Short mmCIF file of all heavy atoms in Angstrom, two decimals:
data_model
loop_
_atom_site.label_atom_id
_atom_site.label_comp_id
_atom_site.label_asym_id
_atom_site.label_seq_id
_atom_site.Cartn_x
_atom_site.Cartn_y
_atom_site.Cartn_z
N MET S 66 58.57 -143.34 58.95
CA MET S 66 59.29 -142.19 59.47
C MET S 66 58.97 -140.97 58.61
O MET S 66 58.81 -141.10 57.39
CB MET S 66 60.80 -142.47 59.45
CG MET S 66 61.67 -141.33 59.94
SD MET S 66 63.43 -141.77 59.86
CE MET S 66 63.49 -143.04 61.13
N PRO S 67 58.87 -139.76 59.20
CA PRO S 67 58.69 -138.56 58.38
C PRO S 67 59.83 -138.41 57.38
O PRO S 67 60.98 -138.73 57.69
CB PRO S 67 58.70 -137.42 59.40
CG PRO S 67 58.30 -138.05 60.70
CD PRO S 67 58.85 -139.44 60.65
N ALA S 68 59.52 -137.93 56.18
CA ALA S 68 60.54 -137.80 55.14
C ALA S 68 61.63 -136.80 55.53
O ALA S 68 62.72 -136.83 54.95
CB ALA S 68 59.89 -137.37 53.83
N ASP S 69 61.35 -135.92 56.48
CA ASP S 69 62.37 -134.98 56.97
C ASP S 69 63.16 -135.53 58.15
O ASP S 69 64.03 -134.85 58.68
CB ASP S 69 61.70 -133.66 57.39
CG ASP S 69 61.12 -132.92 56.20
OD1 ASP S 69 61.74 -132.99 55.11
OD2 ASP S 69 60.07 -132.29 56.34
N GLY S 70 62.84 -136.76 58.56
CA GLY S 70 63.50 -137.36 59.71
C GLY S 70 62.67 -137.19 60.96
O GLY S 70 61.74 -136.39 61.02
N GLY S 71 63.00 -137.94 61.97
CA GLY S 71 62.25 -137.88 63.22
C GLY S 71 62.05 -139.27 63.79
O GLY S 71 62.74 -140.22 63.43
N ALA S 72 61.08 -139.36 64.70
CA ALA S 72 60.82 -140.62 65.37
C ALA S 72 60.19 -141.63 64.41
O ALA S 72 59.32 -141.29 63.61
CB ALA S 72 59.91 -140.40 66.57
N ALA S 73 60.65 -142.88 64.49
CA ALA S 73 60.11 -143.95 63.66
C ALA S 73 58.95 -144.63 64.39
O ALA S 73 58.93 -144.71 65.62
CB ALA S 73 61.20 -144.96 63.33
N ARG S 74 58.02 -145.13 63.61
CA ARG S 74 56.88 -145.87 64.16
C ARG S 74 56.88 -147.28 63.56
O ARG S 74 56.86 -147.43 62.34
CB ARG S 74 55.57 -145.15 63.82
CG ARG S 74 54.31 -145.87 64.26
CD ARG S 74 53.10 -144.99 64.09
NE ARG S 74 52.72 -144.79 62.70
CZ ARG S 74 51.68 -145.40 62.10
NH1 ARG S 74 50.93 -146.25 62.79
NH2 ARG S 74 51.40 -145.16 60.85
N GLN S 75 56.95 -148.29 64.43
CA GLN S 75 56.93 -149.66 63.94
C GLN S 75 55.53 -149.99 63.42
O GLN S 75 54.53 -149.76 64.10
CB GLN S 75 57.32 -150.63 65.05
CG GLN S 75 57.59 -152.05 64.59
CD GLN S 75 58.87 -152.18 63.79
OE1 GLN S 75 59.82 -151.43 63.99
NE2 GLN S 75 58.91 -153.15 62.87
N LEU S 76 55.46 -150.53 62.21
CA LEU S 76 54.17 -150.84 61.59
C LEU S 76 53.84 -152.32 61.63
O LEU S 76 52.69 -152.68 61.88
CB LEU S 76 54.17 -150.37 60.12
CG LEU S 76 54.36 -148.89 59.87
CD1 LEU S 76 54.41 -148.62 58.37
CD2 LEU S 76 53.22 -148.10 60.50
N THR S 77 54.82 -153.17 61.36
CA THR S 77 54.56 -154.61 61.32
C THR S 77 55.69 -155.38 62.01
O THR S 77 56.82 -154.90 62.10
CB THR S 77 54.44 -155.14 59.88
OG1 THR S 77 55.72 -155.04 59.23
CG2 THR S 77 53.41 -154.36 59.08
N THR S 78 55.35 -156.56 62.45
CA THR S 78 56.31 -157.52 62.99
C THR S 78 56.01 -158.87 62.38
O THR S 78 54.85 -159.31 62.42
CB THR S 78 56.22 -157.61 64.52
OG1 THR S 78 56.49 -156.32 65.08
CG2 THR S 78 57.23 -158.61 65.06
N PRO S 79 56.99 -159.54 61.78
CA PRO S 79 56.71 -160.85 61.19
C PRO S 79 56.12 -161.82 62.20
O PRO S 79 56.57 -161.89 63.35
CB PRO S 79 58.09 -161.31 60.71
CG PRO S 79 58.86 -160.04 60.50
CD PRO S 79 58.38 -159.10 61.55
N ASP S 80 55.11 -162.57 61.75
CA ASP S 80 54.42 -163.53 62.60
C ASP S 80 55.14 -164.88 62.48
O ASP S 80 54.91 -165.65 61.54
CB ASP S 80 52.96 -163.66 62.16
CG ASP S 80 52.13 -164.52 63.10
OD1 ASP S 80 52.73 -165.23 63.94
OD2 ASP S 80 50.89 -164.51 62.99
N ALA S 81 56.00 -165.17 63.45
CA ALA S 81 56.80 -166.39 63.39
C ALA S 81 55.92 -167.64 63.41
O ALA S 81 56.26 -168.66 62.81
CB ALA S 81 57.79 -166.43 64.55
N ALA S 82 54.78 -167.58 64.09
CA ALA S 82 53.89 -168.73 64.16
C ALA S 82 53.33 -169.09 62.80
O ALA S 82 52.95 -170.24 62.56
CB ALA S 82 52.75 -168.45 65.14
N GLN S 83 53.26 -168.12 61.88
CA GLN S 83 52.79 -168.35 60.52
C GLN S 83 53.93 -168.56 59.53
O GLN S 83 53.72 -168.56 58.32
CB GLN S 83 51.92 -167.17 60.06
CG GLN S 83 50.67 -166.96 60.90
CD GLN S 83 49.74 -168.17 60.84
OE1 GLN S 83 49.51 -168.73 59.77
NE2 GLN S 83 49.20 -168.54 62.00
N GLY S 84 55.15 -168.71 60.06
CA GLY S 84 56.30 -168.94 59.20
C GLY S 84 56.89 -167.69 58.59
O GLY S 84 57.74 -167.77 57.69
N GLU S 85 56.46 -166.50 59.05
CA GLU S 85 56.97 -165.25 58.50
C GLU S 85 58.35 -164.94 59.08
O GLU S 85 58.57 -165.06 60.28
CB GLU S 85 56.01 -164.10 58.80
CG GLU S 85 54.64 -164.28 58.16
CD GLU S 85 53.71 -163.10 58.41
OE1 GLU S 85 54.18 -162.08 58.98
OE2 GLU S 85 52.54 -163.20 58.04
N ARG S 86 59.26 -164.49 58.21
CA ARG S 86 60.61 -164.18 58.64
C ARG S 86 60.95 -162.71 58.48
O ARG S 86 61.69 -162.14 59.27
CB ARG S 86 61.62 -165.02 57.84
CG ARG S 86 61.37 -166.49 57.84
CD ARG S 86 61.92 -167.15 59.05
NE ARG S 86 63.36 -166.97 59.17
CZ ARG S 86 64.14 -167.75 59.89
NH1 ARG S 86 63.64 -168.76 60.54
NH2 ARG S 86 65.44 -167.53 59.98
N GLY S 87 60.47 -162.07 57.40
CA GLY S 87 60.78 -160.67 57.16
C GLY S 87 59.74 -160.02 56.27
O GLY S 87 59.05 -160.70 55.50
N HIS S 88 59.61 -158.70 56.37
CA HIS S 88 58.70 -157.92 55.54
C HIS S 88 59.54 -156.97 54.68
O HIS S 88 60.28 -156.15 55.20
CB HIS S 88 57.72 -157.13 56.42
CG HIS S 88 56.76 -158.00 57.16
ND1 HIS S 88 55.98 -157.54 58.20
CD2 HIS S 88 56.46 -159.32 57.00
CE1 HIS S 88 55.23 -158.54 58.65
NE2 HIS S 88 55.51 -159.63 57.95
N TRP S 89 59.42 -157.12 53.35
CA TRP S 89 60.31 -156.45 52.39
C TRP S 89 59.53 -155.65 51.36
O TRP S 89 58.34 -155.80 51.18
CB TRP S 89 61.14 -157.48 51.65
CG TRP S 89 62.03 -158.35 52.46
CD1 TRP S 89 62.31 -158.27 53.80
CD2 TRP S 89 62.78 -159.48 51.97
NE1 TRP S 89 63.18 -159.25 54.16
CE2 TRP S 89 63.49 -160.01 53.07
CE3 TRP S 89 62.92 -160.07 50.73
CZ2 TRP S 89 64.32 -161.13 52.95
CZ3 TRP S 89 63.76 -161.17 50.61
CH2 TRP S 89 64.44 -161.69 51.71
N TRP S 90 60.27 -154.83 50.61
CA TRP S 90 59.81 -154.14 49.40
C TRP S 90 58.44 -153.47 49.56
O TRP S 90 57.50 -153.76 48.80
CB TRP S 90 59.79 -155.11 48.21
CG TRP S 90 61.14 -155.56 47.77
CD1 TRP S 90 62.26 -154.81 47.60
CD2 TRP S 90 61.53 -156.91 47.46
NE1 TRP S 90 63.31 -155.59 47.18
CE2 TRP S 90 62.90 -156.88 47.09
CE3 TRP S 90 60.85 -158.12 47.43
CZ2 TRP S 90 63.59 -158.02 46.71
CZ3 TRP S 90 61.54 -159.25 47.07
CH2 TRP S 90 62.89 -159.20 46.71
N PRO S 91 58.29 -152.55 50.50
CA PRO S 91 56.99 -151.87 50.64
C PRO S 91 56.72 -150.94 49.45
O PRO S 91 57.66 -150.38 48.86
CB PRO S 91 57.16 -151.08 51.94
CG PRO S 91 58.64 -150.84 52.04
CD PRO S 91 59.28 -152.07 51.47
N GLN S 92 55.45 -150.79 49.09
CA GLN S 92 55.01 -149.87 48.04
C GLN S 92 53.70 -149.21 48.48
O GLN S 92 52.71 -149.91 48.73
CB GLN S 92 54.78 -150.62 46.72
CG GLN S 92 56.03 -151.15 46.06
CD GLN S 92 56.82 -150.03 45.38
OE1 GLN S 92 56.25 -149.08 44.86
NE2 GLN S 92 58.14 -150.18 45.37
N PHE S 93 53.70 -147.87 48.58
CA PHE S 93 52.46 -147.16 48.91
C PHE S 93 51.44 -147.36 47.80
O PHE S 93 51.77 -147.32 46.60
CB PHE S 93 52.72 -145.66 49.07
CG PHE S 93 52.98 -145.25 50.50
CD1 PHE S 93 54.25 -144.89 50.91
CD2 PHE S 93 51.94 -145.20 51.41
CE1 PHE S 93 54.50 -144.50 52.21
CE2 PHE S 93 52.17 -144.81 52.72
CZ PHE S 93 53.45 -144.46 53.12
#
């Protein structure tokens, strides 16, 4: 999302088939 606010863009979705449940602690 822009740092000033606005529309959000989904970047990732956990891959349940690979056992993924959540995506946490992002770091640029």
Side-chain angles (χ1 to χ4, degrees):
M66 179 180 292
D69 292 325
R74 177 171 72 104
Q75 191 70 29
L76 299 176
T77 68
T78 300
D80 187 346
Q83 298 299 316
E85 297 182 7
R86 307 277 300 201
H88 293 166
W89 300 353
W90 292 315
Q92 291 284 327
F93 266 108

